[in-house]
Amino acid sequence: MTITADAPLTGHDEYLAAIATARGASAAYYSGEQSPLDDASYDRLLRSIADYEQAHPQDTAPDSPTGKVAGGAAPAGDIAHTTRMLSLDNAFTPEELVEWGASLERRLGQPPVGWYAVEAKLDGAAVAARYRDGRLVQLITRGDSRYGEDVSHVIGTITGLPEQLADNATVEVRGEVLLTAEQFEAANVIRVEHGDKEFSNPRNGTSGTLRAKDRAYRLPMTFWAYGAVELDGESFPPTGASHTEVLKQVAAWGVQTTAQTPMGLRLCATLGEVQQQVDQIAAMRDALPFGIDGVVVKANDAGDQAAAGAGSRFPHWAIAFKLPAVERQTKLLGVEWNVGRTGVLAPRAVLEPVEVDGSVVTYATLHNPADILRRELRLGDTVIVYKAGDIIPRIEAPLVELRTGDEQAIAFPEACPNCGGEIDKSQERWRCAQGAACRLPAAILYAAGRDQLDIDGLGPEYVSALVSSGDVADVADLFTLDHAQLAAASGSTKRADRLSEQIEQAKRQPLHRVFCALGVLGTGRTMSRRIAAHFGTMDAIRAADAAALTQVDGIGPEKAPIIASQVAELGPVIDKLTAAGVNMSEPRESDEGAGAGPLAGKTVVVTGGMTGALEAFKRHDMEELIRRAGGEPSGSVSKKTSLVVAGEKAGSKKAKAESLGIEVLTPEVFAELVADYLG
Ligand code: IVH
């Protein structure tokens, strides 16, 4: 019997089948295998099991996962926990959060005296870290809540979990260990180097790394504490210490705590404030350098916690508000092959569009042909799409049990999809045998384009002639072409005159256009403007490391290292451009008369369809308008956004702006504001 996660269970057979499905999914999850259900579907399935049991208590099966931490599937291990490591109950809607608050207040007979503490729910694995006389001596997984596994082999590899405390305390610190987006990418590089399969997502990677005791390599992870309990009878926390005070002490010992995450730990007096903080944390999720799957709300006061008590699986004084899943199932419809600047063939999965964490995903990376073969993917397969932080959506293994027999093999290209030439298949990453030369004509044409160097008249034919004669091997060569070369390529001395005039003018283009002309992956027109405005000179851009690049609006921890490495790779071309006299700095605001206008200093996001005076304005026109009026256009709403123009059918961006308290204008009101710049 197939049990879908959404329908209520109508009979005992369905109930038993649902239990079997849930147990299978949970077992796969904890063994680091691919679970046949995504997280959200698992949670919903567990709910329908619980609903059925509530209506038919006499029929409750002894092996039901509802009464057990982790559905009873987490490997138990043989280390006894001093006090149980409980799980958290979930709320999926604001109404359920209010319901939980009301039940807590009923238990306490009043609102919690120490308010609510609100912090992120980190998406990793729970561990208990035992410190004796200040030394980290043992690390244990949560297991079945009573017994955990000894995973001390990872001690020394975890940021935020020092081997030595600031004093000689004996205490057990509890918290979440995870792979940040950067650690996840680095881990996969190391795994591939060692001939191991890539981790499909950071959470699988974390549990896999905790379990693997005899790997030849070590993979750094990160820890945040969310509590601490006594060890060896050394009493902790001190009587009456609140949650915030406990974490303060843990931080003073030198252990990283949830209060030190970007969203911190906030005290809220009312559930209304709690909900606002939940929304704020949810809005930050995309920009975080690690995954979160919810927000945890706790009664802060020790007395309140004691009075509320705990059930068999979770405390009554805390709840997890779950955020939308970052993992969803969808169908693999096709595979596209794109050729990168260096000639690498990059396969990309085309998916049946699916909403993952608030945005629609249609494409996912597939890395290389070997990766497709390793995963045994077929067209028509049901796959799990995973997206967290700034990680480009990726596909996990196919759900083989859902195959119908109609799935098709994925066709691999016989010839370079860009130039039709031979493919070099000697490495895991296939390349066009021409290497960078494959994309050269397109790259030069792009560089000469209207929004980059704006070399009017340098069309595809002349570019192709210049590339095939060998006169142009990179964009910098354009600036050292002599009259004879230009005449040969364009077929006339007159045209050569005009072209060399245009090329001379192009040397004076502002930095953002010169930078854009380099064709750095992920930096189109808008991003090039932001980078140039932020750094001011090409030298400063070259000196920026990944961390410095993330200071630019729209560059996250995933994109930043890619940009940094490409800029480094382009070093020789940039040197040639500089030597040819091409401008390498951005005019300061005062040079352009910028810094004025009604939008001066403002970051503006446009969403939805424009109406009224702006009806004919396309996205690009709106961006230009915003710049003319002194502002900076941006594609996504964040805390840095000053203003959102929300037109017809505006969706999540408008909602996010409202939740962040950002000013939202209709196209009509905005048109009045920038009336002087509409022309
Ligand atoms: S408190 C008794 N706080 O979520 C309450 N848990 O779904 C103990 N988690 O097992 C948990 N971030 O592994 C707490 N800020 C946080 C958390 C957190 C992540 C995990 C933890 C727990 C699971 C429950």
Side-chain angles (χ1 to χ4, degrees):
M1 180 177 310
T2 312
I3 296 296
T4 59
D6 293 306
L9 304 172
T10 51
H12 194 64
D13 286 350
E14 273 198 9
Y15 165 71
L16 292 179
I19 289 181
T21 307
R23 288 185 71 84
S26 188
Y29 177 114
Y30 279 97
S31 63
E33 285 162 27
Q34 184 51 61
S35 165
L37 289 180
D38 60 48
D39 269 12
S41 308
Y42 178 79
D43 284 341
R44 282 200 299 272
L45 187 63
L46 226 56
R47 284 224 149 175
S48 40
I49 293 173
D51 288 349
Y52 184 87
E53 287 170 354
Q54 205 166 15
H56 311 87
Q58 71 286 359
D59 289 344
T60 299
D63 65 344
S64 166
T66 55
K68 301 184 174 66
V69 166
D78 51 7
I79 313 288
H81 285 299
T82 47
T83 53
R84 286 187 67 188
M85 282 188 82
L86 293 178
S87 181
L88 291 168
D89 198 6
N90 294 323
F92 294 94
T93 60
E95 293 72 32
E96 287 178 4
L97 183 64
V98 168
E99 234 171 74
W100 167 77
S103 78
L104 176 65
E105 292 190 13
R106 265 197 312 276
R107 285 176 198 277
L108 301 178
Q110 60 182 356
V113 293
W115 296 14
Y116 297 98
V118 185
E119 64 199 56
K121 183 172 188 302
L122 304 156
D123 194 5
V127 288
R130 291 185 174 170
Y131 284 92
R132 291 203 166 88
D133 297 325
R135 205 130 191 96
L136 179 53
V137 291
Q138 197 173 32
L139 205 61
I140 310 157
T141 62
R142 183 177 66 169
D144 70 352
S145 88
R146 296 179 195 278
Y147 289 90
E149 260 185 286
D150 189 316
V151 289
S152 304
H153 64 99
V154 293
I155 288 177
T157 62
I158 304 179
T159 303
L161 194 66
E163 289 180 72
Q164 180 69 49
L165 295 182
D167 71 23
N168 60 354
T170 293
V171 67
E172 181 173 300
V173 175
R174 292 178 172 184
E176 201 82 350
V177 63
L178 52 71
L179 287 163
T180 64
E182 210 166 302
Q183 287 172 333
F184 171 67
E185 298 293 340
N188 276 342
V189 171
I190 295 174
R191 281 178 69 78
V192 170
E193 275 169 13
H194 283 81
D196 281 346
K197 241 165 95 170
E198 290 191 345
F199 291 136
S200 47
N201 66 50
R203 199 186 44 213
N204 281 0
T206 305
S207 42
T209 304
L210 289 177
R211 268 197 341 270
K213 302 207 167 139
D214 38 33
R215 262 191 210 143
Y217 48 88
R218 306 191 91 191
L219 302 177
M221 299 185 284
T222 303
F223 176 85
W224 279 276
Y226 49 66
V229 295
E230 73 168 48
L231 187 64
D232 302 345
E234 300 266 333
S235 122
F236 190 86
T239 317
S242 65
H243 176 58
T244 35
E245 283 161 355
V246 169
L247 292 194
K248 229 181 230 164
Q249 173 60 69
V250 171
W253 278 324
V255 177
Q256 186 162 257
T257 74
T258 48
Q260 290 155 283
T261 56
M263 43 266 145
L265 194 160
R266 204 174 126 199
L267 286 178
C268 299
T270 65
L271 283 172
E273 278 175 40
V274 168
Q275 185 62 50
Q276 266 179 12
Q277 179 64 4
V278 167
D279 295 342
Q280 292 236 1
I281 293 179
M284 292 171 76
R285 188 186 198 184
D286 278 356
L288 291 174
F290 50 83
I292 64 172
D293 61 340
V295 178
V296 185
V297 186
K298 301 171 179 173
N300 188 43
D301 181 72
D304 282 344
Q305 291 187 2
S312 64
R313 283 189 300 145
F314 30 74
H316 298 307
W317 48 264
I319 189 124
F321 187 96
K322 289 295 251 297
L323 294 175
V326 290
E327 228 177 55
R328 294 296 308 278
Q329 288 181 12
T330 188
K331 283 234 159 27
L332 175 63
L333 301 180
V335 175
E336 289 179 358
W337 297 81
N338 301 308
V339 185
R341 190 160 40 82
T342 55
V344 170
L345 268 65
R348 176 166 89 152
V350 184
L351 305 168
E352 200 170 271
V354 61
E355 190 169 321
V356 189
D357 184 24
S359 64
V360 175
V361 171
T362 333
Y363 299 105
T365 65
L366 282 172
H367 303 285
N368 53 54
D371 193 49
I372 296 174
L373 293 174
R374 251 196 313 264
R375 291 163 194 241
E376 296 174 9
L377 281 170
R378 294 188 199 156
L379 297 183
D381 263 339
T382 302
V383 292
I384 290 203
V385 189
Y386 180 89
K387 179 175 149 242
D390 266 327
I391 298 176
I392 305 161
R394 53 170 68 222
I395 290 186
E396 302 191 354
L399 300 178
V400 183
E401 62 279 17
L402 296 183
R403 280 192 177 147
T404 60
D406 293 336
E407 294 74 19
Q408 307 275 321
I410 292 171
F412 286 58
E414 300 286 331
C416 169
N418 185 52
C419 70
E422 219 176 291
I423 301 175
D424 171 1
K425 301 181 180 172
S426 60
Q427 317 254 328
E428 249 198 6
R429 284 175 158 256
W430 291 5
R431 276 171 189 272
C432 170
Q434 289 207 66
C438 169
R439 285 281 315 273
L440 191 58
I444 299 294
L445 254 183
Y446 175 77
R450 195 164 62 99
D451 294 311
Q452 288 72 244
L453 296 169
D454 196 16
I455 306 176
D456 200 16
L458 191 63
E461 271 177 48
Y462 306 163
V463 167
S464 155
L466 287 166
V467 169
S468 21
S469 66
D471 289 343
V472 170
D474 59 43
V475 59
D477 286 341
L478 288 175
F479 293 96
T480 49
L481 290 171
D482 60 28
H483 194 267
Q485 287 169 313
L486 284 169
S490 66
S492 102
T493 52
K494 225 166 161 192
R495 282 197 282 264
D497 286 345
R498 250 206 326 271
L499 278 170
S500 51
E501 207 173 287
Q502 291 279 328
I503 291 173
E504 208 43 45
Q505 276 179 26
K507 289 184 183 169
R508 294 190 290 277
Q509 291 290 8
L511 175 64
H512 69 265
R513 281 170 167 267
V514 176
F515 184 78
C516 193
L518 294 173
V520 173
L521 223 91
T523 64
R525 230 172 11 210
T526 306
M527 194 53 78
S528 296
R529 268 185 187 276
R530 289 191 199 151
I531 293 172
H534 184 87
F535 292 104
T537 66
M538 186 69 92
D539 281 346
I541 298 176
R542 290 174 79 174
D545 60 8
L549 280 164
T550 57
Q551 301 300 309
V552 179
D553 189 22
I555 300 184
E558 222 271 327
K559 218 180 207 181
I562 300 175
I563 296 177
S565 79
Q566 286 199 50
V567 170
E569 214 178 279
L570 285 161
V573 178
I574 299 173
D575 288 340
K576 270 167 76 177
L577 286 167
T578 311
V582 176
N583 168 56
M584 289 289 160
S585 61
E586 192 70 347
R588 276 175 293 124
E589 285 192 351
S590 55
D591 299 344
E592 270 190 341
L599 302 179
K602 294 196 170 165
T603 303
V604 184
V605 173
V606 178
T607 181
M610 292 299 104
T611 45
L614 301 175
E615 190 165 3
F617 278 56
K618 300 256 176 340
R619 197 182 126 154
H620 180 56
D621 304 319
M622 286 301 287
E623 287 174 1
E624 289 295 311
L625 171 62
I626 292 164
R627 284 198 191 95
R628 280 201 302 277
E632 175 63 26
S634 168
S636 59
V637 176
S638 73
K639 277 195 303 190
K640 293 180 202 153
T641 309
S642 332
L643 184 68
V644 171
V645 185
E648 279 177 343
K649 301 208 174 109
S652 61
K653 289 185 191 175
K654 183 180 178 197
K656 190 166 172 181
E658 283 166 352
S659 79
L660 290 174
I662 294 164
E663 189 178 4
V664 178
L665 299 183
T666 61
E668 287 72 18
V669 174
F670 182 71
E672 274 173 36
L673 180 70
V674 296
D676 291 348
Y677 299 82
L678 282 178

